[in-house]
């Protein structure tokens, strides 16, 4: 008899986007004429940059000829892409990485979910709350999170981020082995200063912990002094792994490409106190379980770093950030408390009179035919908030704001 991994059974409560879809479909069934606008799911809407399209077309043509055909590529990604990453994403910020510290992947979700294979199942972990669900769920699947009671996992340290602490997580008063940080943050849209991030790096150095730093939204940062990479902080390469994605940066959600940085200086201990390099572990892991990102996707990613590519993806990011600024202003003018949206494509909105997230979600769906994401779906500290995304079309965004205005003024 094959026995299942029963840790999966614990996950069944987490159906955030399925629950939203169910409620939206129920609304549509009873209101067939309604035109529902979704500011809920975090997917992009604008097409790929012309430079990316051109590079991918050319890559397809390469595949058509024996001389330029590409089969399996290096598991770690083509060197030309890893060199472009080092040169464009890190050098200008004073961060010197070796291309061997870059691991090209099929998107950041896979690696943020897989990375915890590198450490023992009984390590302790901490997450900011609310949080991108992948970090916890992937640990639940291997039994590290413990049991779910009162809305929390028993072996997870939650660091609440709310309006009460200005969305700044408090450093745990005990030691934890693994820490997940995501900045700019999904779902709150808030950022971390260099000074705050330095505290985390120092904590990790002091406690011999590892930080998993998700920088999927770094391209949305508008303010000069906000760090784009944890490696801008001295000492971080001893303690941090960083995740990047072209999904939100360049509209690659359907193309699939990103990368993970595992510095060679990063080590962790064996039970008898020997230090091992996690870069070697991750290379071994990827070579066994991953066969590389498609040549065509990697050529598309490379094109982002050309002068035209850079300009074109910047225009799309500016378009989304203009949406965010319109939404921020309109919602604030209505008297709502709005956070995020200045260095990230997400707005985190406090519900009026502490209305529970799901209740506000339904009220807005029925009152304005606008879909948001209930904050509590991202963790207990998300209760009393909803997330709105600025990834929509400008016209939808304006229409949604108009409807919310009409609805709230009733
Ligand atoms: C969208 C997102 C990612 C990127 O996912 P991909 O797999 O690269 O598409 C990673 N982290 C967070 C927090 C995200 O919101």
């Amino acid at each position: 008899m094959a026995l299942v991994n029963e840790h999966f059974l614990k996950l069944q409560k987490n159906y955030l986007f399925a629950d939203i879809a169910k409620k939206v479909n129920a609304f549509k069934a009873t209101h067939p004429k309604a035109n529902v606008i979704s500011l809920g799911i975090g997917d992009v809407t604008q097409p790929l940059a012309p430079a990316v399209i051109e590079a991918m077309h050319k890559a397809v043509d390469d595949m058509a000829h024996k001389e330029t055909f590409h089969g399996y590529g290096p598991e770690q990604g083509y060197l030309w892409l890893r060199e472009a990453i080092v040169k464009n994403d890190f050098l200008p910020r004073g961060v010197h990485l070796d291309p061997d510290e870059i691991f090209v992947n099929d998107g950041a979700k896979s690696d943020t979910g897989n990375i915890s294979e590198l450490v023992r199942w009984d390590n302790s972990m901490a997450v900011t709350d609310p949080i991108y669900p992948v970090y916890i769920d992937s640990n639940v699947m291997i039994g590290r999170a413990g049991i779910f009671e009162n809305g929390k996992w028993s072996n997870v340290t939650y660091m609440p981020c709310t309006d009460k602490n200005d969305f700044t997580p408090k450093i745990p008063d005990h030691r934890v082995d693994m820490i997940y940080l995501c900045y700019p943050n999904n779902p709150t849209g808030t950022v971390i200063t260099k000074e705050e991030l330095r505290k985390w790096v120092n904590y990790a150095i002091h406690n011999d912990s590892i930080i998993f730093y998700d920088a999927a939204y770094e391209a949305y940062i508008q303010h000069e002094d906000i760090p784009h990479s944890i490696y801008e902080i001295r000492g971080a390469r001893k303690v941090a792994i960083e995740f990047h994605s072209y999904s939100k940066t360049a509209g690659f959600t359907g193309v699939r490409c990103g990368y993970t940085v595992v510095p060679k200086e990063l080590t962790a201990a064996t039970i008898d106190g020997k230090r091992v390099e996690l870069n070697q572990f991750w290379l071994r892991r990827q070579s066994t379980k991953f066969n590389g990102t498609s040549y065509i996707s990697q050529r598309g990613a490379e094109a982002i770093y050309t002068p035209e590519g850079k300009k074109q993806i910047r225009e799309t990011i500016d378009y989304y950030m203009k949406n965010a600024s319109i939404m921020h202003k309109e919602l604030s003018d209505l008297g709502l408390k709005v956070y995020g949206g200045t260095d990230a494509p997400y707005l985190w909105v406090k519900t009026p009179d502490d209305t529970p997230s799901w209740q506000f979600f339904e009220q807005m769906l029925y009152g304005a035919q606008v879909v948001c994401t209930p904050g509590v779906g991202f963790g207990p500290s998300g209760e009393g908030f909803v997330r709105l995304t600025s990834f929509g079309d400008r016209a939808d965004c304006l229409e949604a704001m108009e409807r919310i205005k009409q609805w709230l003024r009733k």
Side-chain angles (χ1 to χ4, degrees), residues 351-366:
T351 62
D353 310 317
D354 289 323
T355 311
S357 300
W358 275 109
Q359 193 180 327
F360 186 82
F361 163 87
E362 295 219 13
Q363 288 169 352
M364 193 156 86
L365 175 60
Y366 282 78

Side-chain angles (χ1 to χ4, degrees), residues 110-255:
S110 323
D111 281 8
T112 51
N114 291 331
I115 200 77
S116 76
E117 285 180 24
L118 289 185
V119 289
R120 255 170 70 122
W121 70 273
D122 54 354
N123 275 274
S124 56
M125 61 178 283
V127 295
T128 55
D129 169 35
I131 186 204
Y132 180 56
V134 174
Y135 314 145
I136 292 187
D137 288 357
S138 58
N139 280 289
V140 172
M141 290 174 184
I142 54 173
R144 192 180 280 127
I147 51 169
F148 194 68
E149 43 193 10
N150 306 321
K152 292 186 178 177
W153 294 93
S154 56
N155 292 346
V156 177
T157 298
Y158 289 76
M159 302 176 287
C161 295
T162 67
D163 48 337
K164 295 193 181 68
N165 62 4
D166 218 6
F167 300 93
T168 307
K170 197 166 152 276
I171 305 251
D173 53 11
H174 54 281
R175 73 166 302 282
V176 286
D177 302 308
M178 310 151 55
I179 300 144
Y180 288 87
L181 297 176
C182 172
Y183 289 103
N185 190 257
N186 177 10
T188 67
T190 57
V191 290
I192 193 164
T193 62
K194 275 193 182 151
E195 198 188 350
E196 283 301 318
L197 191 52
R198 189 168 295 123
K199 290 183 193 166
W200 281 107
V201 170
N202 289 341
Y203 171 91
I205 292 172
H206 186 73
N207 290 288
D208 200 358
S209 320
I210 301 174
I211 298 173
F212 299 123
Y213 195 77
D214 188 342
Y217 296 94
E218 62 80 21
Y220 287 81
I221 294 172
Q222 310 286 315
H223 289 92
E224 271 297 311
D225 45 340
I226 301 297
H228 287 248
S229 162
I230 194 168
Y231 305 118
E232 292 176 46
I233 310 296
R234 190 189 294 273
R237 39 172 102 220
K238 286 198 176 68
V239 291
I241 289 176
E242 183 166 281
F243 306 94
H244 286 249
S245 168
Y246 298 111
S247 286
K248 319 303 165 32
T249 307
F252 271 46
T253 52
V255 175

Side-chain angles (χ1 to χ4, degrees), residues 270-379:
T270 61
I271 197 128
D272 48 12
K274 239 175 57 205
R275 304 299 299 189
V276 295
E277 276 187 28
L278 292 188
N279 177 283
Q280 286 307 303
F281 266 35
W282 190 242
L283 178 61
R284 191 68 182 78
R285 189 268 176 208
Q286 289 297 80
S287 308
T288 300
K289 293 198 184 182
F290 182 65
N291 241 343
T293 307
S294 96
Y295 171 70
I296 299 162
S297 299
Q298 292 190 63
R299 282 294 186 200
E302 185 193 27
I304 293 165
Y305 298 111
T306 60
E308 314 79 65
K310 279 183 187 169
K311 187 165 153 284
Q312 290 160 1
I313 65 161
R314 186 48 51 196
E315 280 164 12
T316 304
I317 290 171
D318 289 347
Y319 176 89
Y320 292 138
M321 288 312 285
K322 175 83 181 164
N323 284 349
S325 115
I326 292 169
M327 289 160 70
H328 200 293
K329 177 169 189 310
E330 295 284 336
L331 297 170
S332 303
D333 285 353
L334 288 169
L336 292 167
K337 279 249 179 305
V338 185
Y339 303 93
T342 56
D343 293 283
Y346 296 118
L347 287 86
W348 190 242
V349 182
K350 184 127 189 60
T351 62
D353 310 317
D354 289 323
T355 311
S357 300
W358 275 109
Q359 193 180 327
F360 186 82
F361 163 87
E362 295 219 13
Q363 288 169 352
M364 193 156 86
L365 175 60
Y366 282 78
Q369 291 87 58
V370 175
V371 178
C372 60
T373 311
V376 71
F378 298 100

